[in-house]
Amino acid sequence: MAEHPTLGVRLNRICCIGAGYVGGPTMATIALKCPQLEVVIVDMNEDRIKRWNSDDLPIYEPGLTEVVKACRGKNLFFSTDVKKGIEDADIIFASVNTPTKTQGVGKGRAADLRFIESVGRTIGQYANRSKIVIEKSTVPIKTAEAIARVLSANEAATGGSKNFWILSNPEFLAEGTAMKDLDAPDRVLIGGQDQDAIQVLADVYANWVPREQILTTNLWSSELSKLVANAMLAQRVSSINSISRLCERTGADVKEVARAIGTDSRIGPKFLNASVGFGGSCFQKDILNLVYICQQFGLE
């Protein structure tokens, strides 16, 4: 069994906590591209896991069913046994929901971190040796610090001496093209404070992603980049929507304007389709979260 010479972590298994829209497709792709690795996705939702183990997957993305069928039962497994998943793997992804808070401080703007913090406590409870813990969820900047505190507190309470290296590896998937985005990403972003831990994850992606497209940063830059990316994309949609109103008043055609400016290589054509607004599950919550974070740091 291969172990990292410096970190001492086992390199042959990956566990992902959270069998949702991000965790499922991402781990399925890793299993397909890395047949030498065993990939286990764990989730306490029994119905969801049953569906991942059936022909009726809980989410639909073009190409996902084919990849799951090709790998499931070989090196891709779905289970409700969270404890075993954590014990057997030293590379652990946390891919759980981070919705907008509905009560308490930051209600309606701040991200609700209950689920990601719960993952930290669960890893601390069941970890039997040192682990690399990877944030796959979209989280506010400094969330890794909170996860590290949870894990450190557990170690102090139990008298343990295990090490936990926290990495940020945000997803940049679009609904409807997630499998294509995973197969040929514009970039893979990995943030961390330990270069050896960063390299472990970079080596996984390097099985199919060119090294020059694997970007490494510090932990905080990676956490912030996901929120900023969504804010910039939403800003483009909002901008062209504003221009569409001017087009209606002046007789210009917003589609022709979008095509004219989109051919400028500095601007590009994407996210320039005028509509009633921006949809999806991420833009609104991430913008609200980013505004809240700025306010927390005194930036009005």
Side-chain angles (χ1 to χ4, degrees), residues 10 21 35 57 62 99 104-105 124 161 186 193 225 243 246 253:
R10 296 165 294 182
Y21 178 81
L57 302 186
V105 178
S161 58
D186 292 335
Q193 295 172 313
S225 292
I243 294 301
L246 180 61
D253 185 326

Side-chain angles (χ1 to χ4, degrees), residues 71-90:
C71 301
R72 190 172 56 199
K74 298 175 182 177
N75 69 325
L76 176 65
F77 304 91
F78 300 90
S79 172
T80 56
D81 194 341
V82 178
K83 178 177 182 292
K84 187 176 188 301
I86 292 171
E87 289 176 343
D88 289 351
D90 293 345

